[in-house]
Structures are given as C-alpha cells and as structure tokens.
Amino acid sequence: MDFRKRDNVTVDCVIFGLDTDGLNVLLRNRTLNMYDDDYPVVNDWVVTGYYVFKSKTLEESADLIFKEITGLNNVDKIQFKTYGNPNRMKSEKDILWVRSRGVKTQTMTTAYYYALPLTKVNLKHDGFKWFLYRSLPELGFDHHKIIVDAFEDLKRKIMVEPIIFDFLPPKFTLNDLQFAYESIFDIEIDNRNFRKKVLSKSYIVGLDEKRKGVSKKPSKLYSFSREIYDSIKNADYLISI
Amino acid sequence: MDFRKRDNVTVDCVIFGLDTDGLNVLLRNRTLNMYDDDYPVVNDWVVTGYYVFKSKTLEESADLIFKEITGLNNVDKIQFKTYGNPNRMKSEKDILWVRSRGVKTQTMTTAYYYALPLTKVNLKHDGFKWFLYRSLPELGFDHHKIIVDAFEDLKRKIMVEPIIFDFLPPKFTLNDLQFAYESIFDIEIDNRNFRKKVLSKSYIVGLDEKRKGVSKKPSKLYSFSREIYDSIKNADYLISI
DNA sequence: GCAAAAGTGTTCCGGATACACCCATGG
DNA sequence: CCATGGGTGTATCCGGAACACTTTTGC
C-alpha cells in the first residue's frame, strides 16, 4: 500500500452524460480471470473510484479521477453521499475481486456526480463505456445503489439549482433544454408552455445566432448566464410546504 | 489509539432543537488549560463528534453519539456532507487542542444533523449547551461552516420533505407549525393563508383534542401522518425550472 | 412541393396573496 | 369584563395547464 494514500477511504465518480438518446452513465468494466481466460469469474461494471491521497481534499481526489478518464478540467460536481457500511462488499464477486487486488474490504467511499454533454468526453482508456440510465448493466459492489442515489439527488437539485445547463453545450436551443428535462424526468412537456416559462427567466439569454444542422428550420440559440442567475437568486427563498 | 476505531474518520452530529425562542443548536464546550487553570488557552464550542468504529456504519456511529448526549433513540437524521480537507484544522487553538489529545490532524468527518423539539432532550452530561442559531458562540475547527452547511441543507430539504414535523411533538397546533416555519426561514407568514394551505394537506390530520395551557382559548391539535404522506408522495414529481 | 423540425396565442383554472375582525377561555 | 392568543372569509392576481396550426428551411 502506498503510504501517500488513505488506505480506507475512496472517492467514487458517477459521470452522467446526456446525448440524443437520453441520460447515460459512464462505467468501467471489471473483469477477473482465474482459471480460464475466456471465462472470467468476474465480468461486470463499476463506477470509477480511487483512493484518496492524504495530502488532497476529497474534491481534488475526485477531480483527479475525472480528469484521468475524460481529460477534462473544471467540470462542476456534486458530493451527494458517503457510504460507510463495513459490509458494503458482500457478494462473492466483490470478495474475489478485492482479494485479487490485495486491498481492504472495509472501505468508506465518498461519492460525487458530474453532469455534462456526453459528446464533450473523449474517453482516454479502454474498458469504459456509456450506458443509458434506463438500461444499466450488472454492477459490482453497491454501485447500483450509488448510481440510483446520485440520480435521485440530481433530480432533486435540478428543481432548485441550474444544474440542467451542465448537460448542455454553452449554446443550446430551447428544444435541447426541453429534451434534457424530458429525458431526466421521463416526462413529456408541452412545447409552447415550456417556451413561455423558460423565456420568462432572465438568466436564459437569446443569442443572435442560429444553429443550422440536422434539422430543417434553423433554430435560435440561447445561453445560460450564471451572473444573472446568481444576482436574482439571492433575493427570494420560496417556501412551499 | 483504539484499534477498533478508524483513526482518521469521525462523524459529527449537528443537533437542531426548536423551542419558543426559535431554532437552537446543541454544542459542547471545548476547554484546554496549559499554564493557569483560570485562563484556558482554548475555551470555545464545538459540534459533538467521535471516531467511527470499524465494525459500525456511519449511521450507527452517529446514533451512538446522539444517544450518549441526549439519551434518545430512533431520531431521524440526515447525512449532509463529508469534509475531507487535510488542512481542516489550521487555527492555533485547533492545533493545541489536537496535540493535547494526541490524535491526528488529518481527519475526515462525515456530518449529520438531527432535528427535534428542544424540550425532548434531557442533557446527560455537563459542558453541553443550547445556542440560538442566530447567536452562535465562537466555534472550533471548521464547525461554524459545518453548522451553516447543515442549516442550508435543512432549509432546502424542508421545502420538499416533511422534516418540519421532526421539530414538533406528535401533537401540535397549527400555530406551532407556523412558528416552526417562521423561525427557520426567518420570515412572517399570514396566519389565515397558512391555515388554508396547511389544511389542504391530507397528511395533516386534525385530532379531537385541544391543548389547554398557557394560552386563553384552547387550540386544536393536529398530527402528521407519515402513512398518508408516503402514499401520496410517490405519485407526483413536481417540476419547477 | 413536401418532409421535418421550429416556433407561436388564447382560454381556463387553481393556488397564492392581501387584508381585518370575532371567538373562547383564564384570570 | 378584559386581556390573550385562537380562529375565520373574500376578492384579486398570477402562473400553470390544455390545446392546434403556421413557418422556415433542406432536399
């Protein structure tokens, strides 16, 4: 064990990416061959995590992992939960896997999630793959629960914070924005009402630019102004019982 | 160091108690005398925390602390953040204190908060005291930030979850409930509108009972039905952009 | 000229707000 | 009988929901 690392604490990074099919999660393949190369005893998927360096904050540790996978810096993230059950790893596969690595089983993990447009990511390593949230593969450890918890937290925070824009490029169309909401909440939204509501928000600013591409009629582009958002957000604390 | 404990991980418990003066936080006095018993070099207040046992979950560890202080079991709590900055303890007082205890400075802590009516607590030990949230004393470590973070999380969650009832006894008046909201959000609410809104919620059920006490006209008692709340909550996921 | 996505207005309803007085009891 | 907190009703306003057709371009 490397003494620069805390040997009982990891961070896990749930990476959400939105594309035209909907909401995806980036996972890493976990395989272990013991007897026969063609028949691994473990072959499933995990959220990417790693040990925390003693000299670094949890945030920094998460960003190191995120950068290693995606090559990206300065992407917003949210710490949503720390898992500390000493019996987190209990399946046969988990135990085989952990033994093969010679590490502790009683590991706490602090979990973060990242949100971004899927196309922003160029995967740097093999063994990583995007999965649609609605059709996740078999997951190791307690990672299914971690992903579900992340998603629940995401949905809740999207209601009160402008995280939705993290899923979109800096310039987006109103239909992009609507699609983001529809994918994440698995609902259908009336386009006219949606436009009215969105256009009433001062922090969504129309640009003098149109996107010409796949579609027929060019669509107007908008951007999210964090400055305007912050300036009006301090004012009102809406209460709803 | 006790080998049953994780030597670098603690849990901290922010305990919120509501009484007729408003929202309070339960703190523990931190004193350290080095040269002169009458002039402690450290004399401030902290949130109560303790090491995590290797055999226990974070939740269990938090509940142990909570029970030790209050004597109470089975009080709802919320895990809101884990603090892992290796330089969390940086003031002179913190360093003196930590050295005097012979423990590590690079300690992570997972923080929970509890909410309950202040009068439910009978303090079991000396050195503990309730402080109004709006007039906190000098706090050690990064505990001021921890308390503020807890409070922000509390306010946000109160909007979407029925945590407010944790601050009230099982039977309460509508004015009690209104006072709870007013204290926590530091706002004034119109009593007539408040009653209308609250009475429209099926999970707030009127009892055939009145409270006779300090006030003149006896006031009707209500209770919160978690069953009804849960049954209707699954249905709707309200979206507000 | 037609296929495909972009964009547009009006009506209706329900919940939110503003606002001032009577009621029941204990002392 | 009066002081004290408990309790009540109405008018207005605004945001949310429902709903179907026209516009602009690429091919």
Side-chain angles (χ1 to χ4, degrees):
Chain A
M1 183 66 202
D2 183 337
F3 286 106
R4 294 171 304 166
K5 299 171 194 157
R6 296 177 185 262
D7 68 349
N8 60 349
V9 182
T10 61
V11 290
D12 279 324
C13 297
V14 178
I15 301 172
F16 289 116
L18 188 73
D19 71 0
T20 53
D21 292 327
L23 184 69
N24 295 264
V25 183
L26 184 56
L27 298 174
R28 190 179 64 180
N29 190 229
R30 178 177 83 155
T31 53
L32 177 64
N33 292 292
M34 290 183 81
Y35 316 108
D36 184 330
D37 277 0
D38 291 336
Y39 295 95
V41 288
V42 179
N43 185 14
D44 53 18
W45 298 81
V46 290
V47 167
T48 308
Y50 196 64
Y51 289 97
V52 174
F53 285 89
K54 290 178 182 170
S55 63
K56 297 208 183 294
T57 65
L58 297 171
E59 288 207 14
E60 289 164 350
S61 304
D63 282 339
L64 278 179
I65 295 170
F66 183 74
K67 175 157 195 185
E68 180 65 26
I69 304 171
T70 63
L72 299 171
N73 275 316
N74 300 321
V75 174
D76 282 346
K77 65 190 166 298
I78 291 177
Q79 186 201 299
F80 65 97
K81 191 165 175 190
T82 296
Y83 298 82
N85 188 332
N87 303 313
R88 284 177 60 215
M89 302 179 189
K90 56 180 188 301
S91 81
E92 197 183 338
K93 287 183 181 179
D94 293 343
I95 290 165
L96 278 173
W97 171 264
V98 165
R99 278 199 196 135
S100 78
R101 297 297 169 110
V103 296
K104 291 193 181 190
T105 56
Q106 294 197 359
T107 300
M108 285 178 43
T109 195
T110 295
Y112 287 83
Y113 60 85
Y114 292 74
L116 74 177
L118 190 147
T119 52
K120 204 174 159 188
V121 175
N122 289 308
L123 294 173
K124 297 272 185 250
H125 300 281
D126 290 341
F128 287 85
K129 195 177 156 195
W130 291 101
F131 288 86
L132 281 172
Y133 182 83
R134 60 174 176 271
S135 53
L136 293 173
E138 186 188 341
L139 286 149
F141 305 122
D142 51 358
H143 287 193
H144 186 80
K145 176 158 173 38
I146 290 179
I147 292 172
V148 171
D149 286 351
F151 183 56
E152 292 300 319
D153 193 85
L154 173 69
K155 284 199 288 189
R156 191 169 308 175
K157 293 227 167 80
I158 280 182
M159 308 274 200
V160 292
E161 284 170 54
I163 311 177
I164 196 79
F165 304 105
D166 292 345
F167 283 111
L168 300 173
K171 297 173 181 181
F172 53 85
T173 70
L174 295 191
N175 289 331
D176 291 344
L177 184 58
Q178 182 177 341
F179 177 77
Y181 279 110
E182 289 181 331
S183 309
I184 290 165
F185 289 98
D186 194 22
I187 53 174
E188 289 192 356
I189 304 176
D190 179 88
N191 184 253
R192 282 164 296 188
N193 293 334
F194 182 77
R195 283 171 184 272
K196 255 180 297 174
K197 188 166 179 180
V198 165
L199 291 175
S200 75
K201 311 286 176 184
S202 57
Y203 50 83
I204 295 178
V205 297
L207 306 174
D208 287 333
E209 231 178 309
K210 306 221 165 189
R211 175 187 296 167
K212 308 195 177 204
V214 229
S215 106
K216 310 296 171 173
K217 182 172 174 178
S219 47
K220 185 168 181 182
L221 292 170
Y222 293 80
S223 72
F224 166 66
S225 164
R226 191 166 295 272
E227 296 68 41
I228 299 176
Y229 183 85
D230 287 342
S231 68
I232 62 172
K233 214 49 191 176
N234 301 330
D236 55 329
Y237 231 128
L238 74 159
I239 187 169
S240 83
I241 300 168
Chain B
M1 184 65 206
D2 183 337
F3 286 106
R4 293 172 306 164
K5 298 171 195 158
R6 296 177 185 263
D7 67 349
N8 61 348
V9 182
T10 61
V11 290
D12 280 324
C13 297
V14 178
I15 300 171
F16 290 116
L18 188 72
D19 70 0
T20 53
D21 293 326
L23 184 68
N24 295 263
V25 183
L26 184 56
L27 298 174
R28 191 180 63 181
N29 190 228
R30 178 176 82 156
T31 53
L32 177 63
N33 292 291
M34 290 183 80
Y35 316 109
D36 184 330
D37 277 358
D38 291 337
Y39 295 96
V41 290
V42 179
N43 185 13
D44 52 18
W45 297 82
V46 290
V47 167
T48 309
Y50 196 63
Y51 290 97
V52 175
F53 286 89
K54 289 178 184 171
S55 63
K56 296 208 184 296
T57 66
L58 296 172
E59 288 206 16
E60 288 163 351
S61 303
D63 281 340
L64 278 180
I65 295 171
F66 182 74
K67 172 152 198 189
E68 180 65 26
I69 303 171
T70 64
L72 299 171
N73 275 315
N74 300 322
V75 174
D76 281 347
K77 64 189 168 299
I78 292 178
Q79 184 201 300
F80 64 97
K81 191 165 175 189
T82 296
Y83 298 83
N85 188 332
N87 303 312
R88 284 177 61 215
M89 302 178 189
K90 55 181 188 301
S91 82
E92 198 183 337
K93 286 182 181 179
D94 294 342
I95 290 165
L96 278 173
W97 171 264
V98 165
R99 279 200 197 133
S100 78
R101 298 295 170 112
V103 294
K104 289 194 179 186
T105 56
Q106 295 196 357
T107 300
M108 286 179 41
T109 196
T110 296
Y112 287 82
Y113 59 85
Y114 292 74
L116 73 177
L118 190 148
T119 52
K120 202 173 160 188
V121 176
N122 289 307
L123 294 172
K124 296 270 183 255
H125 301 281
D126 290 341
F128 287 85
K129 196 178 157 196
W130 290 100
F131 289 87
L132 280 173
Y133 182 82
R134 59 173 177 272
S135 54
L136 292 174
E138 185 188 342
L139 286 149
F141 305 124
D142 52 357
H143 287 193
H144 185 80
K145 178 160 173 35
I146 290 178
I147 294 172
V148 171
D149 287 350
F151 183 57
E152 293 300 321
D153 194 85
L154 173 68
K155 284 200 287 189
R156 191 170 308 174
K157 293 227 167 82
I158 280 183
M159 308 275 200
V160 293
E161 284 170 53
I163 312 177
I164 195 79
F165 304 105
D166 291 345
F167 284 110
L168 301 173
K171 297 173 181 182
F172 53 85
T173 71
L174 296 190
N175 290 331
D176 290 344
L177 184 58
Q178 182 177 342
F179 178 78
Y181 279 110
E182 289 181 331
S183 308
I184 290 166
F185 289 98
D186 194 23
I187 53 173
E188 290 193 354
I189 303 176
D190 180 88
N191 184 254
R192 280 166 297 190
N193 293 335
F194 182 77
R195 282 170 184 273
K196 255 180 297 176
K197 189 166 180 180
V198 165
L199 291 176
S200 75
K201 311 286 176 184
S202 58
Y203 50 83
I204 296 177
V205 297
L207 306 173
D208 288 332
E209 232 177 307
K210 306 221 165 189
R211 176 188 294 168
K212 308 196 177 202
V214 231
S215 106
K216 308 297 169 172
K217 181 174 174 180
S219 47
K220 184 167 181 184
L221 292 170
Y222 292 80
S223 72
F224 166 67
S225 164
R226 190 166 298 270
E227 295 68 43
I228 299 176
Y229 182 86
D230 288 342
S231 69
I232 62 173
K233 214 48 192 176
N234 301 331
D236 57 328
Y237 232 128
L238 74 159
I239 187 169
S240 81
I241 300 171

